[in-house]
Amino acid sequence: WTFNDEYAHNPPVSADIVEACSKQNPPCDPTCIPTGGQTCVKYILMSNNENNEIVRMTHFCGRVLDDGNTVTKDVCRTQKNNAGFNVEVCTCEERSLCNGTSLASKTYISFSMLISCLVFSILLRE
């Protein structure tokens, strides 16, 4: 959803993704609505260099645990320098259209979730 130009390292704009999906045949819907203990989750994998370049960013509906308890509020957690990456995971108690253009993602989650996400992303890269 980004172009290989001077802005290539910027994350995509949610409105651009929604617009592009609306033009597909059949149209796609890049949003989700959290259900059953889920929240909107943002996961960012960043290079551990001075620029903290974003390697991967994803938004999704999911259930997040912090010390065994389901997270239902805005929470963010950052883990620095794990296998050469910095990882940030945020939850948002927004209850409509995760990934939508009006969603302001902010929040943190538990260290164990960060480890799980990091392992998952490294496995996907292989």
Side-chain angles (χ1 to χ4, degrees), residues 8 18 33 39 45 50 109-110 120-121 124:
V18 170
I33 298 172
T39 60
L45 182 67
E50 64 184 46
I109 78 167
S110 74
F120 180 73
S121 68
L124 286 177

Side-chain angles (χ1 to χ4, degrees), residues 14 18 30-32 40-41 58-61 96-101 103:
S14 296
V18 170
T31 64
C32 60
C40 298
V41 180
T58 186
H59 297 93
F60 55 93
C61 292
S96 63
L97 300 180
C98 285
N99 311 334
T101 58
L103 176 62

Side-chain angles (χ1 to χ4, degrees), residues 63-122:
R63 184 170 176 231
V64 176
L65 299 176
D66 186 6
D67 292 330
N69 298 312
T70 299
V71 175
T72 58
K73 299 187 236 178
D74 293 355
V75 179
C76 277
R77 296 285 186 263
T78 301
Q79 180 181 359
K80 296 192 181 254
N81 198 18
N82 186 314
F85 296 99
N86 294 329
V87 180
E88 179 177 270
V89 180
C90 300
T91 63
C92 178
E93 63 182 320
E94 175 70 33
R95 290 290 174 220
S96 63
L97 300 180
C98 285
N99 311 334
T101 58
S102 64
L103 176 62
S105 293
K106 41 183 160 175
T107 55
Y108 296 144
I109 78 167
S110 74
F111 181 77
S112 62
M113 180 66 180
L114 291 172
I115 295 292
S116 298
C117 290
L118 180 59
V119 169
F120 180 73
S121 68
I122 289 172

